[in-house]
Amino acid sequence: MSYHELAVERIKNIDAKQYIGVSNKRYSEFRSRGEYEVDARLIAEYYRRVGAYLQFISKEVTSIYAGMDMLIGYKMVDNEWDELLVKCPNFVEIDCMLMKLISIHYLRWCTLLDNSNNIALQFLDIYEPMIILFERGGGRISTHHHELVGGFGAFSRSIDAKRGDKKPIDISDNALKTIIEEIELAEAYLVEHKKGNLTEKYCIRCGNRLIIHYNNKFGQQWYKIKCETKDCFDNNFS
Ligand SMILES: [Zn+2]
């Protein structure tokens, strides 16, 4: 199978059920805290890969809307939106413009790979974090003013080449599973703690103690759960 054929298979197997009827819901009604932590990692890793690519092609910045092929001179053709729905009928019922657009860009990138485009071949997996995001149900993303909006916190709509200097993020199944487990553990820890249970819990990553810190600002109370190891687990909970 060609890169393009494999990509079409992946996109058309994205489960539409994850996206139907969610457009008016709050993020927290259909994604768990752990899931959107994963979403944030996937998006951060996409931005990092795009940053590295921008450095390679000597561009400073791009937007979440732009296809990577467009940055090296390729253009979208008029009927691509219609064509996507023919190739991937699961997208007919999905009302997520940005997810569809990025999927179109991904398919076009795979066509470049099939044509042995030298630049594309060096950034073979650039779209992988976003496709994993869509497959896992995190594709309800949109932009508002200058921000990319989802349950995961703030990303800017533009992607800066400096992002390419960041450390790569492990997006393997196992790594993503661990992120969810860590959040679930911390959530359960906090529930018990609020009930008065003072049993300590330990970090999944390093085995060190997890400490609950209280915060209160402007009348809002929240908790920070932090691993004793520096730069390890550190998350806010309400
Ligand atoms: Zn730790």
Side-chain angles (χ1 to χ4, degrees):
M1 268 205 209
S2 68
Y3 283 109
H4 185 265
E5 284 166 336
L6 281 167
V8 170
E9 279 304 305
R10 274 185 86 177
I11 298 296
K12 80 177 188 199
N13 280 311
I14 290 174
D15 184 2
K17 282 203 293 294
Q18 301 177 105
Y19 296 105
I20 295 168
V22 300
S23 54
N24 294 320
K25 283 188 183 165
R26 286 152 52 113
Y27 237 86
S28 55
E29 288 176 64
F30 67 98
R31 302 284 289 157
S32 73
R33 178 64 209 281
E35 281 169 330
Y36 64 66
E37 187 67 33
V38 164
D39 296 350
R41 305 287 175 100
L42 289 167
I43 293 168
E45 174 58 10
Y46 176 63
Y47 276 40
R48 186 197 68 77
R49 292 182 188 197
V50 172
Y53 172 68
L54 290 174
Q55 291 181 11
F56 184 79
I57 59 171
S58 304
K59 281 203 170 18
E60 274 174 26
V61 69
T62 185
S63 131
I64 185 81
Y65 290 100
M68 296 303 116
D69 62 328
M70 291 155 72
L71 300 179
I72 47 172
Y74 293 86
K75 289 191 170 68
M76 283 180 75
V77 291
D78 286 345
N79 61 348
E80 273 187 80
W81 287 89
D82 300 329
E83 233 177 67
L84 177 74
L85 300 184
V86 175
K87 282 186 210 155
C88 308
N90 53 329
F91 271 13
V92 173
E93 293 173 272
I94 300 176
D95 176 28
C96 301
M97 192 279 270
L98 195 49
M99 178 163 73
K100 288 180 187 173
L101 180 62
I102 293 172
S103 299
I104 291 173
H105 292 327
Y106 166 58
L107 296 177
R108 297 169 53 80
W109 191 250
C110 289
T111 303
L112 288 192
L113 293 174
D114 287 326
N115 296 335
S116 304
N117 179 285
N118 269 331
I119 298 176
L121 283 170
Q122 298 195 52
F123 295 88
L124 199 87
D125 292 331
I126 195 163
Y127 285 102
E128 189 63 18
M130 293 310 270
I131 305 308
I132 294 176
L133 178 77
F134 301 162
E135 288 173 334
R136 298 176 61 103
R140 202 197 86 183
I141 50 174
S142 58
T143 56
H144 184 68
H145 300 301
H146 293 291
E147 295 207 331
L148 179 66
V149 183
F152 36 74
F155 283 89
S156 69
R157 196 176 65 177
S158 56
I159 306 174
D160 196 289
K162 288 193 210 85
R163 283 265 178 184
D165 299 332
K166 292 198 185 281
K167 219 173 96 200
I169 297 171
D170 185 354
I171 57 166
S172 65
D173 281 352
N174 257 336
L176 301 183
K177 207 171 121 230
T178 304
I179 291 169
I180 292 181
E181 285 168 0
E182 282 179 340
I183 298 282
E184 286 173 351
L185 178 98
E187 284 177 323
Y189 186 17
L190 189 59
V191 168
E192 283 302 309
H193 188 86
K194 283 178 181 171
K195 284 189 206 157
N197 181 351
L198 298 177
T199 313
E200 287 178 334
K201 291 226 189 277
Y202 298 90
C203 177
I204 293 179
R205 263 184 260 181
C206 73
N208 223 334
R209 246 183 346 157
L210 290 173
I211 308 290
I212 299 181
H213 303 266
Y214 297 82
N215 287 294
N216 197 313
K217 211 178 195 178
F218 309 119
Q220 266 216 333
Q221 164 109 41
W222 78 96
Y223 302 86
K224 180 184 266 305
I225 301 184
K226 208 167 178 288
C227 173
E228 281 190 320
T229 305
K230 197 173 170 274
D231 297 328
C232 197
F233 186 81
D234 180 355
N235 260 285
N236 293 330
F237 295 86
S238 52

Coordinates of all heavy atoms in Angstrom, one line a residue, residues 182 202-210 226-233, ligand 1:
E182 N -1.7 8.4 35.7 CA -1.2 9.4 36.7 C -2.3 10.4 37.1 O -2.4 10.7 38.3 CB -0.1 10.2 36.0 CG 1.2 9.5 36.0 CD 2.3 10.4 35.3 OE1 1.9 11.4 34.6 OE2 3.4 10.2 35.5
Y202 N 2.0 7.5 45.8 CA 3.3 7.6 45.2 C 3.2 7.8 43.7 O 2.3 7.3 43.1 CB 4.2 6.4 45.6 CG 4.3 6.4 47.1 CD1 3.4 5.7 47.9 CD2 5.3 7.1 47.8 CE1 3.5 5.7 49.3 CE2 5.5 7.1 49.1 CZ 4.5 6.4 49.9 OH 4.6 6.5 51.3
C203 N 4.2 8.5 43.2 CA 4.3 8.8 41.8 C 4.5 7.6 40.9 O 5.3 6.7 41.2 CB 5.4 9.8 41.6 SG 5.7 10.2 39.9
I204 N 3.7 7.4 39.8 CA 3.8 6.3 39.0 C 5.2 6.3 38.2 O 5.8 5.3 38.0 CB 2.7 6.2 37.9 CG1 1.3 6.0 38.6 CG2 2.9 5.2 36.9 CD1 0.1 6.0 37.7
R205 N 5.6 7.5 37.9 CA 6.8 7.7 37.1 C 8.1 7.3 37.9 O 8.9 6.6 37.3 CB 6.9 9.2 36.7 CG 6.4 9.4 35.3 CD 6.7 10.8 34.9 NE 5.5 11.6 35.0 CZ 5.4 12.9 34.7 NH1 6.4 13.6 34.3 NH2 4.2 13.5 34.8
C206 N 8.2 7.8 39.1 CA 9.4 7.7 39.8 C 9.3 7.0 41.2 O 10.3 6.7 41.8 CB 10.1 9.0 39.9 SG 9.3 10.1 41.2
G207 N 8.1 6.8 41.7 CA 8.0 6.1 43.0 C 8.1 7.0 44.2 O 7.9 6.6 45.3
N208 N 8.4 8.3 43.9 CA 8.6 9.3 45.0 C 7.2 9.7 45.6 O 6.2 9.4 44.9 CB 9.4 10.5 44.5 CG 10.4 10.9 45.6 OD1 10.2 10.7 46.8 ND2 11.4 11.6 45.1
R209 N 7.2 10.4 46.7 CA 5.9 10.8 47.3 C 5.2 11.9 46.5 O 5.8 12.8 45.9 CB 6.2 11.4 48.7 CG 5.6 10.5 49.7 CD 5.7 11.0 51.1 NE 6.7 12.1 51.3 CZ 6.6 12.9 52.3 NH1 5.6 12.8 53.2 NH2 7.5 13.8 52.5
L210 N 3.9 11.8 46.4 CA 3.1 12.9 45.8 C 2.6 13.8 47.0 O 2.0 13.3 47.9 CB 1.9 12.3 45.1 CG 2.2 11.6 43.7 CD1 0.9 10.9 43.2 CD2 2.8 12.5 42.7
K226 N 1.9 17.4 43.4 CA 3.2 17.5 42.9 C 4.1 16.4 43.4 O 4.0 16.1 44.6 CB 3.8 18.9 43.4 CG 4.8 19.5 42.5 CD 5.1 20.9 42.9 CE 6.1 21.6 42.1 NZ 7.4 21.3 42.2
C227 N 4.9 15.8 42.6 CA 5.8 14.8 43.0 C 7.0 15.5 43.7 O 7.4 16.6 43.3 CB 6.3 14.0 41.7 SG 7.6 12.9 42.1
E228 N 7.6 14.8 44.6 CA 8.7 15.4 45.3 C 9.9 15.5 44.5 O 10.8 16.3 44.7 CB 9.1 14.5 46.6 CG 8.1 14.8 47.7 CD 8.6 14.2 49.0 OE1 9.1 13.1 49.0 OE2 8.5 14.9 50.1
T229 N 10.0 14.7 43.4 CA 11.1 14.8 42.5 C 10.9 16.0 41.6 O 9.8 16.3 41.1 CB 11.1 13.5 41.6 OG1 11.1 12.3 42.4 CG2 12.3 13.5 40.6
K230 N 12.0 16.7 41.4 CA 12.0 17.9 40.6 C 11.5 17.6 39.1 O 12.0 16.6 38.6 CB 13.4 18.6 40.6 CG 13.4 20.0 40.2 CD 14.8 20.6 40.4 CE 14.9 22.0 39.7 NZ 15.2 21.9 38.3
D231 N 10.7 18.5 38.6 CA 10.3 18.4 37.2 C 9.6 17.0 36.9 O 9.7 16.5 35.8 CB 11.4 18.5 36.2 CG 12.0 19.9 36.3 OD1 11.3 20.9 36.5 OD2 13.3 20.1 36.1
C232 N 8.9 16.5 37.9 CA 8.2 15.2 37.6 C 6.7 15.6 37.6 O 6.3 16.7 37.1 CB 8.5 14.2 38.7 SG 8.1 12.5 38.2
F233 N 5.8 14.7 38.1 CA 4.4 15.0 38.0 C 4.0 16.3 38.8 O 4.5 16.6 39.9 CB 3.6 13.9 38.6 CG 2.1 14.0 38.5 CD1 1.5 13.6 37.3 CD2 1.3 14.5 39.5 CE1 0.1 13.7 37.1 CE2 -0.1 14.6 39.3 CZ -0.7 14.2 38.1
Ligands
ZN1 ZN 7.7 11.4 40.2

